[in-house]
Amino acid sequence: MDRYENAIIRCHEVTKFYPVGDGVFALQNVHLVVYPGEFVLLEGPSGSGKTTLLNILGGIDRPSHGEVIMKGRKFSRMSEDDLALLRRKDLGFVFQFFNLIPELTAWENIAFPLRIAGVAPGEIHERVANLLSRLHLEGRANHYPVELSGGEQQRVAIGRALAPKPSLILADEPTGNLDSKTAREVMELFRDFNRIDGQTFVVASHACEFEEYATRVVKLRDGRIME
Amino acid sequence: MLDFPLLAARELRANSTRVTAALIAVSIAAFSLVGYRAVLSGYPQGFAAEIRALAGGEILIFSGIDLLTPGSGLEMEWRPWKGRPWQSYLEYYLPDLPSRGYLAFPGTPEWAPLNLDEIARKIREIPGVAAAIPYYSLPCYVETSRGKFEAILRARDPAFETDLYSMSEYVTDGRLWNEGQQEAIVPVFQGKAIAGVQAGETFQLVLPAPGAIPGEVDWTRCVEFTLRSSGQYDMSRRLREAGVPGGGRGVPTGGRVPAPEAPPTFEWDRPEIMVTERVFRSMCARAGWRELACYQLAVRVDKMAMVKVVARAVRDALRGRYAVFTVPELGEIRVAGSPAPVALSDTKLVMLVLTYVLSGTIVCGSVYVMISQSRRKIGLLRVVGATSRQIAVYVYSLMLWVFLVGSAIGLVPGECLRFLDWLGSELPISAFLKAALADVGLAFGAAVLVSLVMGSSVVAVASRLPCAEVLARGQV
């Protein structure tokens, strides 16, 4: 019971229904609990509801039914600004298409969430420099996203997600836009941060080849958790 | 917070083509602001030249009229109008005055002769004031073989007949008076001299004696003078030739005799028979006027471009105890062909506000397009933790940058213009610097104000965009 209460995030009977045509259930009665230090791999084919589940876990999307609770706070009772403040502190996102801000350099992209959170400049400098080093991006700090390769862009995006030291990082197909070698490098980075720093990850992927990196694999099919 | 202005600046740099139109619009608005303050506070030198020559200056000061001013908490009182048209030009500015009276603060002086010493003391030090010329006049009528005609006898000091103010410019037949001679110049309306008096012809002029009440005249004790017309003057010839429509009210003088033969065609066609001040004084002395009352003072300025500024300063110096008007205001009215001589609202100010509103609309439109095309980016900012307030800061930053940079661009030529204007003046450099600083403050202040007010609608749209926008397809 104690462990359940200490979960980072819990979702109860989450259903997402899209009223398109005859209606589509993207998720049906999904129950998922993520504990600190876990590396959860959400695995399933395209259309199985992985992205929808991640978006609901991150407060980007709202469920049609059910509840998401993080640190004792119910998402359904939180405003957009409350969710933004929660994400700023406790949630990091890594997207398939990187979603870096093109007008900012790699250094500035990583520092951005810290700046808007009001972290002291000295600490920002320290954290960003450390992340750039661990992500092997020291020489690319002052490059803009267009000047970086796909793998480098994704590493910057990981740095941005990690910078605020969130409780949970949600990664949606982080390797989907990378070649297999770079994809493995990204997954190894996730594993390193998980093992060394105890960082909790929920990573969505359609490929089962990454199961070896995860501490738990959750399989989704047609919006339902299979195992 | 600092990252949003930085991000906005970089976003604008990346969209420089899109914001160019907005920058041009804002720079024009800022330039207009400086131009409005620096140059258009006055008039071109030749503007309203006729009426300035007739009045003898650019600014007129009248006695005892306290115009209703907004923002005053004091109770005002209604007063009947006791002035006479021959005493001053005030009724051209306030045509309803004789019929409606006027409002004044309790305790302020009634319509009475001006205290010239007091006024001179107060306005002497005002920069831009070149001279002050009192207006001395009396009602009279002209008697010829063709009948009696109502008119105004006016004194002109030949010492003040200089350059822009000389009546010789408007003499159509004959010449100006000779000092020391019993000579006069007579006005021409629609090509006809008053009472048909030709140059070189003599005519009889009847002056009343002073009345029992100050400011009133006594027509029962008249004195007749014989004057020789040295010439005729026509203040409206050039305007008529230029096709400017006339249509004045005519100028009653308070006498008993009907109006002149040919009615005045322009508001400022006054039936003034002009003599030198020395002749005027000797005639008045013979008619029993021991002291000459002055109800109007014309102020000359160093530069026409400073007329409004000097008028404001004069108004401030006299602290609302006198009515102060710029002479060219009536020129504007006449040129506009307005049938009623009412003071115009400050159309330049209205144009300036419209320019800012237009530039604000262009900036808001440009920023709105940028926001519409950056919905995914705003969604991303929300995902990484930006609140709606921070999004508002971001959007306001976009607009403020455009306004501030545009204003700075517009201020450069504007201040060059002001500098040239200053070079042609006799003002100290500190006056230029003070005015330039005020320009900068006003331009940036207006930029912030317009951004905040007009940008609020764009901010409202942007700050309500949900973080789910990040899921949209396309580039950030």
Side-chain angles (χ1 to χ4, degrees):
Chain A
M1 186 64 184
D2 279 352
R3 187 170 180 252
Y4 184 79
E5 286 300 320
N6 287 335
I8 287 178
I9 197 163
R10 290 176 279 158
C11 68
H12 296 285
E13 297 180 353
V14 165
T15 297
K16 182 67 183 180
F17 177 73
Y18 290 107
V20 183
D22 295 335
V24 177
F25 280 95
L27 292 174
Q28 290 187 69
N29 295 321
V30 170
H31 185 86
L32 180 69
V33 183
V34 179
Y35 296 101
E38 276 197 305
F39 188 139
V40 178
L41 184 72
L42 276 181
E43 191 193 288
S46 292
S48 59
K50 302 184 300 294
T51 300
T52 307
L53 181 56
L54 279 184
N55 289 338
I56 287 173
L57 287 175
I60 294 174
D61 204 355
R62 303 251 187 189
S64 309
H65 178 73
E67 185 63 88
V68 180
I69 302 167
M70 186 172 196
K71 291 193 165 180
R73 298 180 73 188
K74 292 180 176 176
F75 281 16
S76 61
R77 294 185 184 174
M78 294 169 77
S79 67
E80 279 285 323
D81 275 351
D82 291 337
L83 286 168
L85 292 171
L86 181 86
R87 281 192 296 268
R88 180 191 288 181
K89 195 163 172 256
D90 289 312
L91 284 167
F93 283 87
V94 179
F95 298 95
Q96 180 180 354
F97 295 103
F98 323 132
N99 280 350
L100 297 176
I101 299 171
E103 292 86 14
L104 301 181
T105 63
W107 201 100
E108 290 165 336
N109 261 290
I110 295 172
F112 193 78
L114 300 175
R115 297 286 290 265
I116 63 173
V119 177
E123 194 178 339
I124 292 175
H125 194 270
E126 191 182 318
R127 275 203 227 177
V128 176
N130 181 37
L131 280 168
L132 284 169
S133 164
R134 290 184 67 181
L135 294 164
H136 312 296
L137 287 167
E138 297 103 320
R140 315 295 271 170
N142 294 320
H143 286 66
Y144 288 92
V146 288
E147 299 165 344
L148 300 172
S149 68
E152 286 170 331
Q153 286 190 55
Q154 194 59 299
R155 276 184 277 158
V156 173
I158 293 167
R160 183 179 65 191
L162 285 163
K165 295 184 179 168
S167 308
L168 174 65
I169 286 181
L170 303 168
D172 184 16
E173 299 277 7
T175 58
N177 211 26
L178 303 173
D179 61 73
S180 57
K181 182 174 171 283
T182 315
R184 288 213 161 268
E185 285 171 7
V186 166
M187 292 306 284
E188 278 162 16
L189 274 173
F190 282 158
R191 186 174 59 189
D192 288 349
F193 279 102
N194 175 250
R195 286 185 182 168
I196 299 166
D197 301 299
Q199 178 65 56
T200 310
F201 285 93
V202 175
V203 179
S205 175
H206 65 276
C208 54
E209 67 207 62
F210 298 128
E211 283 181 6
E212 59 179 290
Y213 297 100
T215 57
R216 180 156 60 113
V217 177
V218 175
K219 294 196 173 176
L220 270 173
R221 296 287 183 279
D222 300 325
R224 290 174 189 274
I225 290 180
M226 304 307 291
E227 55 185 275
Chain B
M1 276 294 191
L2 275 174
D3 268 41
F4 289 99
L6 172 77
L7 185 61
R10 296 223 183 131
E11 171 107 32
L12 290 169
R13 202 173 59 186
N15 290 282
S16 54
T17 313
R18 191 173 294 149
V19 297
T20 301
L23 282 173
I24 291 170
V26 175
S27 58
I28 289 171
F31 178 76
S32 307
L33 187 141
V34 180
Y36 168 74
R37 280 168 46 78
V39 178
L40 301 180
S41 56
Y43 302 86
Q45 185 160 288
F47 189 81
E50 295 92 343
I51 50 180
R52 285 162 54 213
L54 186 72
E58 284 83 20
I59 297 166
L60 295 182
I61 300 172
F62 305 102
S63 164
I65 304 293
D66 236 330
L67 294 173
L68 186 60
T69 49
S72 172
L74 288 171
E75 211 169 286
M76 302 188 84
E77 61 184 22
W78 176 86
R79 289 177 184 173
W81 174 233
K82 292 175 182 170
R84 294 288 175 266
W86 57 266
Q87 292 172 336
S88 76
Y89 296 0
L90 185 59
E91 288 178 31
Y92 293 116
Y93 291 95
L94 306 167
D96 293 334
L97 205 54
S99 58
R100 292 193 183 173
Y102 64 100
L103 282 167
F105 291 115
T108 50
E110 293 272 357
W111 178 254
L114 294 169
N115 183 341
L116 294 176
D117 289 340
E118 182 197 10
I119 295 173
R121 201 171 54 248
K122 287 181 175 173
I123 69 171
R124 191 178 294 143
E125 300 303 321
I126 295 173
V129 171
I133 296 108
Y135 178 81
Y136 293 114
S137 62
L138 278 178
C140 66
Y141 55 88
V142 175
E143 206 169 333
T144 65
S145 58
R146 291 171 284 276
K148 281 185 178 180
F149 300 93
E150 194 178 8
I152 298 167
L153 182 68
R154 178 185 171 184
R156 293 278 297 202
D157 187 345
F160 290 113
E161 296 295 322
T162 56
D163 294 343
L164 294 167
Y165 314 95
S166 174
M167 288 301 294
S168 59
E169 181 94 4
Y170 306 99
V171 170
T172 52
D173 187 19
R175 53 168 173 77
L176 277 185
W177 48 75
N178 278 335
E179 183 69 44
Q181 303 278 313
Q182 287 285 105
E183 288 182 338
I185 53 170
V186 295
V188 170
F189 306 129
Q190 293 181 328
K192 284 186 179 177
I194 189 167
V197 176
Q198 300 303 309
E201 195 180 337
T202 56
F203 61 96
Q204 306 303 310
L205 188 137
V206 180
L207 270 187
I213 304 166
E216 295 296 330
V217 295
D218 184 355
W219 289 99
T220 60
R221 295 184 292 124
C222 302
V223 180
E224 194 173 297
F225 299 89
T226 301
L227 287 172
R228 182 173 172 276
S229 167
S230 64
Q232 301 172 342
Y233 72 93
D234 185 354
M235 304 306 293
S236 308
R237 189 187 60 181
R238 285 195 302 199
L239 288 166
R240 276 203 316 275
E241 285 168 3
V244 176
R249 292 176 299 132
V251 187
T253 59
R256 299 173 303 175
V257 185
E261 200 172 38
T265 51
F266 291 93
E267 291 298 340
W268 282 68
D269 276 344
R270 281 170 73 86
E272 286 184 354
I273 293 171
M274 297 185 187
V275 293
T276 61
E277 193 168 328
R278 186 188 292 179
V279 171
F280 183 83
R281 283 181 184 276
S282 71
M283 289 170 74
C284 288
R286 267 190 61 200
W289 296 84
R290 288 181 186 170
E291 284 182 22
L292 292 180
C294 171
Y295 296 87
Q296 172 178 305
L297 187 68
V299 175
R300 290 181 184 175
V301 296
D302 287 331
K303 282 183 68 196
M304 275 298 278
M306 294 171 66
V307 169
K308 281 193 175 181
V309 178
V310 175
R312 260 200 303 273
V314 169
R315 220 169 269 139
D316 291 345
L318 299 178
R319 291 205 183 85
R321 288 168 58 85
Y322 298 89
V324 180
F325 294 95
T326 63
V327 172
E329 278 176 56
L330 284 177
E332 285 181 342
I333 295 161
R334 191 172 59 177
V335 169
S338 167
V342 291
L344 287 179
S345 63
D346 204 338
T347 48
K348 289 183 216 71
L349 186 61
V350 173
M351 289 306 292
L352 182 64
V353 171
L354 285 177
T355 310
Y356 263 96
V357 169
L358 182 68
S359 65
T361 308
I362 294 172
V363 173
C364 288
S366 304
V367 172
Y368 182 77
V369 171
M370 284 169 68
I371 294 297
S372 301
Q373 294 179 350
S374 311
R375 295 169 76 94
R376 196 163 175 222
K377 179 186 285 175
I378 290 175
L380 175 65
L381 297 178
R382 300 285 272 159
V383 167
V384 296
T387 59
S388 52
R389 201 171 142 197
Q390 286 172 318
I391 298 298
V393 169
Y394 170 62
V395 179
Y396 272 132
S397 300
L398 284 171
M399 273 178 295
L400 272 171
W401 275 124
V402 176
F403 262 106
L404 295 179
V405 173
S407 298
I409 294 170
L411 278 171
V412 173
E415 292 311 322
C416 289
L417 197 68
R418 184 180 276 289
F419 185 71
L420 286 175
D421 184 56
W422 172 78
L423 281 179
S425 76
E426 290 172 6
L427 295 173
I429 184 76
S430 59
F432 163 73
L433 292 174
K434 214 186 274 182
L437 268 177
D439 288 339
V440 173
L442 277 173
F444 287 153
V448 172
L449 186 72
V450 175
S451 303
L452 291 180
V453 173
M454 295 191 69
S456 56
S457 53
V458 184
V459 166
V461 171
S463 59
R464 282 182 196 148
L465 287 175
C467 58
E469 291 290 342
V470 76
L471 305 175
R473 292 190 183 279
Q475 290 294 309
V476 169

